[in-house]
Amino acid sequence: MKHPGIALAALSAVFALPLAAQAQPYPAKPVRVVIGYAAGSSTDIVGRVMADRLGVHWKQTVFVENRGGAAGNLAAEAVAKAQGDGYTLLFAQNGLAISAAALPDLPYSAERDLVPLAPVAATPHILIVGPDFPARNVQELIARAKAEPGKLTFASSGVGNSDHLCAELFDMMAGITAIHVPYKGGAPAVQDVIPGRVNYYFAGMPVGLPLARSGRARALGVTSKTRFPGAPDIPTIAEQGLPNYEATLWQGFFAPSSIDPALGARIAGDVEAALKQPETRANLAKAGVALFEDNQANFRKFFHSDIEKWRNLVKSTHLKLE
């Protein structure tokens, strides 16, 4: 007969196993970062830098899953419906707020089903054309569009994305009409802009600036109110005849709203710590982006205010994104 003390100890060990597993430090296994855009797009480039640096910080594998389509909403829905254990994160951009503002019938709610964790970057778009396109500045582009109403085309990484709204705002303020050609990401969009199959594109800086620097595309302007420090030679659109034009591409991490608040705060703090690392800052600077450093509470406020901003724009312009 076994000694009762031995049996009790064995039973205690069995019940202790789940507790021990729960007590393991996060992350105890690989973390998945879902990005709703094609590989090589601006958000993908920045997201991969951050995934790499978080992997170093956590001493754990952090892998990127590209789930493109539907203006990033396929990825956002997948994460919104994932388990909130911290092992599935979303790396998103303005398109998430734009969709929340303009598409009320989505199968998930960005405001209810996702929680903002930490911002990473906030950078202007860069308006580019192919090297053979006749316009050499914004005023020449506008003049050409007015001379051929409804004939020029502009690319986007998808209906409702930040680059799409940049172009719609530009066209409205310039008083021009052009045809929207959506793609499944910024990388495939530029493949048609460079040879001139599509006329212009408000590219993310990590995609557009290297193309302009290499001569494969021509930069006409940046969408910030003042010149971008990483490209001070490129004039703003505001200084080329549209003084009130301004738009910024922001990017950051989100998690399912079911995540434990303490774990969400822990991940937010780790993103902030990773952003302070010199190598992270150097890699993001090399990608042509400006940092958006803030805490989780302020990022939440910013996200919800951004939704309201786009909601007001959509209402005032009667823009249909379906």
Side-chain angles (χ1 to χ4, degrees):
M1 185 180 210
K2 290 185 179 179
H3 191 282
I6 296 176
L8 184 60
L11 190 62
S12 299
V14 169
F15 282 107
L17 282 175
L19 296 176
Q22 289 174 11
Q24 286 183 326
Y26 173 88
K29 62 181 182 180
V31 176
R32 177 173 62 135
V33 175
V34 185
I35 298 177
Y37 306 94
S41 63
S42 297
T43 301
D44 175 73
I45 291 170
V46 177
R48 286 179 183 276
V49 169
M50 292 307 300
D52 176 70
R53 300 313 303 162
L54 283 172
V56 172
H57 183 73
W58 285 333
K59 297 181 174 59
Q60 181 60 266
T61 300
V62 180
F63 66 95
V64 168
E65 177 186 324
N66 294 96
R67 190 176 290 204
N73 285 306
L74 295 180
E77 181 185 355
V79 175
K81 295 179 178 179
Q83 187 175 351
D85 56 6
Y87 290 98
T88 300
L89 304 176
L90 175 70
F91 191 73
Q93 45 107 303
N94 300 53
L96 186 64
I98 294 167
S99 293
L103 302 172
D105 296 326
L106 289 171
Y108 77 99
S109 167
E111 295 174 280
R112 183 186 64 246
D113 301 329
L114 293 169
V115 58
L117 294 181
V120 170
T123 311
H125 286 268
I126 179 170
L127 172 56
I128 61 170
V129 296
D132 297 326
F133 189 70
R136 307 195 71 83
N137 55 53
V138 167
Q139 291 174 329
E140 289 182 7
L141 172 61
I142 293 173
R144 187 173 183 85
K146 287 184 175 180
E148 302 178 77
K151 290 189 177 180
L152 293 193
T153 55
F154 68 86
S156 82
S157 59
V159 175
N161 279 339
S162 181
D163 49 11
H164 175 204
L165 270 292
C166 279
E168 294 286 0
L169 182 62
F170 174 79
D171 290 3
M172 181 186 70
M173 294 180 67
I176 62 176
T177 302
I179 300 170
H180 177 209
V181 184
Y183 293 81
K184 290 185 178 180
V190 298
Q191 291 174 6
D192 277 355
V193 175
I194 291 171
R197 288 189 288 269
V198 179
N199 299 126
Y200 60 99
Y201 175 43
F202 284 82
M205 198 64 74
V207 170
L209 187 58
L211 291 172
R213 291 289 187 241
S214 68
R216 296 178 64 206
R218 181 185 306 127
L220 302 188
V222 295
T223 64
S224 47
K225 196 70 172 177
T226 59
R227 294 200 182 196
F228 180 57
D233 55 314
I234 301 175
T236 67
I237 291 172
E239 66 185 88
Q240 298 184 75
L242 298 178
N244 295 318
Y245 185 91
E246 182 180 11
T248 303
L249 171 67
W250 60 258
Q251 297 154 328
F253 283 96
F254 292 75
S257 59
S258 58
I259 192 170
D260 180 85
L263 178 56
R266 155 74 196 280
I267 296 171
D270 288 343
V271 173
E272 289 182 47
L275 281 173
K276 288 181 170 61
Q277 296 172 1
E279 188 168 347
T280 307
R281 300 174 89 88
N283 288 344
L284 290 174
K286 193 183 301 179
V289 301
L291 298 185
F292 180 1
E293 296 177 280
D294 211 333
N295 59 42
Q296 185 182 16
N298 287 340
F299 185 42
R300 285 189 186 189
K301 292 176 185 175
F302 170 83
F303 177 62
H304 292 295
S305 67
D306 201 47
I307 292 174
E308 285 306 309
K309 179 187 80 173
W310 291 116
R311 200 168 268 150
N312 291 335
L313 175 66
V314 168
K315 285 180 181 178
S316 64
T317 59
H318 305 288
L319 185 63
K320 302 294 183 184
L321 299 183
E322 289 88 353

